[in-house]
Amino acid sequence: MTLMSRVREHAYTVVENEAVGDGIWRMVFSAPELAGSLEPGQFMNFLVPGAKQILRVPLSFASADAESGTVEVIYAVVGDATRALTGMAAGESSSVLGPSGNGWRVREGQGRSVVVGGGVGAPPAVAAAGLLAKKGVAFDGVLGAQTASKLWGVERLGELGAGLALATTDDGSFGIKGFTTDALRELLSQGDYDTVYTCGPQVMMRGIAAICREAGIKCQVSMERMMSCGFGACNTCNVLMADGTYKSCCMNGPVFDAEEVAW
Ligand SMILES: Cc1cc2nc3c(=O)[nH]c(=O)nc-3n(C[C@H](O)[C@H](O)[C@H](O)COP(=O)(O)OP(=O)(O)OC[C@H]3O[C@@H](n4cnc5c(N)ncnc54)[C@H](O)[C@@H]3O)c2cc1C
Ligand code: FES
């Protein structure tokens, strides 16, 4: 099987699509075959009706339910295509490519872990929490945002069984005032952890990776790159590796071991 053969085109039909914060939206859509085949940490590429750009929009997911055939995505409205996505009402359909890329990995016998999400890195962090819960691995979680109105997912971490579900905001409007890196340092000073799973702005993930390296803890990162095709054909999504080579974010990632990446 080639890597590309996993990616298929599916029809998706919007079930719910509503604002859950300031410029942060939650969409639940129905696509039964896709919902049954997605693995936490993978992503999809959406065709959005009414968007001026011809490129599809890559989005991760927070949860997928094979039984109901639905997938939940959380997205920030940053430009033309994501604005057009907010206009899709329940019942509207379009096309989505997926499952794309490689997701989070969990080892046999893995010890207590931490998920860390920043901004719209929260959905794949929540998906990592769901995976850890399913595998019976104890975990804590930290989700951060600029301000309370842009924060999503902290309650969900609790529902998934996080021992500690911490929130940070840059302005102190909710949870701990500061960055997710501050909260992770605090957690690591108080207990033993095996693996950290993180997704967020590059600068945040660089900081998380450095903290994990210092502490001798394994770290997986979900990288974001501009993606033109999303299935390995265009080379726009290259990630520079520590050994000087490049890997594609869409096919080899988006999840990498932090040690592999040139920060
Ligand atoms: C693997 C992957 C998973 C993602 N998951 C999510 C998610 O779960 N939720 C979410 O809100 N966003 C996610 N993104 C980012 C999302 O794809 C972009 O925000 C979106 O494509 C912007 O499209 P636009 O037309 O609205 O904005 P544009 O007008 O195209 O761009 C607006 C801004 O967003 C930046 N941008 C555009 N495309 C991308 C891109 N592919 N990656 C990073 N930044 C981009 C631009 O540099 C610009 O600053 C993900 C991106 C990748 C690569
Ligand atoms: S987006 Fe085209 S190769 Fe990755």
Side-chain angles (χ1 to χ4, degrees):
M1 185 172 88
T2 64
L3 279 172
M4 270 184 69
S5 67
R6 288 182 308 174
V7 182
R8 302 229 187 288
E9 185 171 17
H10 308 264
Y12 72 94
T13 302
V14 175
V15 177
E16 292 171 48
N17 192 15
E18 59 184 11
V20 290
D22 177 14
I24 310 291
W25 282 60
R26 172 180 177 271
M27 177 172 79
V28 177
F29 64 88
S30 170
E33 194 192 335
L34 180 62
S37 57
L38 276 169
E39 289 170 16
Q42 289 187 305
F43 69 99
M44 301 148 287
N45 262 299
F46 293 82
L47 200 60
V48 181
K52 289 188 207 92
Q53 66 174 48
I54 51 161
L55 297 180
R56 287 172 180 258
V57 178
L59 292 178
S60 307
F61 67 98
S63 67
D65 182 351
E67 220 164 277
S68 63
T70 56
V71 182
E72 174 191 41
V73 297
I74 307 295
Y75 62 97
V77 182
V78 295
D80 171 57
T82 45
R83 199 169 307 116
L85 189 56
T86 66
M88 284 189 78
E92 274 191 65
S93 296
S94 186
S95 132
V96 59
L97 295 180
S100 302
N102 294 306
W104 305 113
R105 297 173 300 277
V106 177
R107 300 183 331 278
E108 199 62 41
Q110 184 168 308
R112 190 171 199 89
S113 298
V114 190
V115 302
V116 184
V120 285
V126 164
L131 177 65
L132 292 167
K134 194 172 156 197
K135 300 268 183 189
V137 177
F139 68 95
D140 296 319
V142 181
L143 296 179
Q146 292 166 347
T147 190
S149 60
K150 293 184 181 293
L151 189 67
W152 177 88
V154 181
E155 279 177 17
R156 186 68 68 84
L157 288 182
E159 288 161 15
L160 287 168
L164 290 168
L166 305 176
T168 67
T169 48
D170 302 358
D171 63 3
S173 52
F174 188 81
I176 302 160
K177 183 177 191 312
F179 298 133
T180 55
T181 42
D182 304 324
L184 179 65
R185 262 202 206 89
E186 186 62 26
L187 277 182
L188 298 191
S189 73
Q190 289 174 16
D192 286 335
Y193 289 95
D194 181 309
T195 303
V196 172
Y197 297 83
T198 189
C199 184
Q202 172 99 357
V203 63
M204 181 200 102
M205 290 196 288
R206 185 189 303 137
I208 301 282
I211 292 169
C212 292
R213 192 167 52 245
E214 268 168 43
I217 294 172
K218 295 175 200 62
C219 179
Q220 293 176 33
V221 294
S222 179
M223 306 293 288
E224 256 194 34
R225 286 291 181 274
M226 290 300 295
M227 289 185 179
S228 298
C229 73
F231 49 77
C234 73
N235 263 348
T236 55
C237 68
N238 283 340
V239 179
L240 180 60
M241 298 284 109
D243 65 4
T245 61
Y246 287 94
K247 285 190 176 174
S248 75
C249 190
C250 68
M251 298 297 285
N252 301 116
V255 174
F256 294 93
D257 283 332
E259 292 288 296
E260 275 189 278
V261 176
W263 294 103

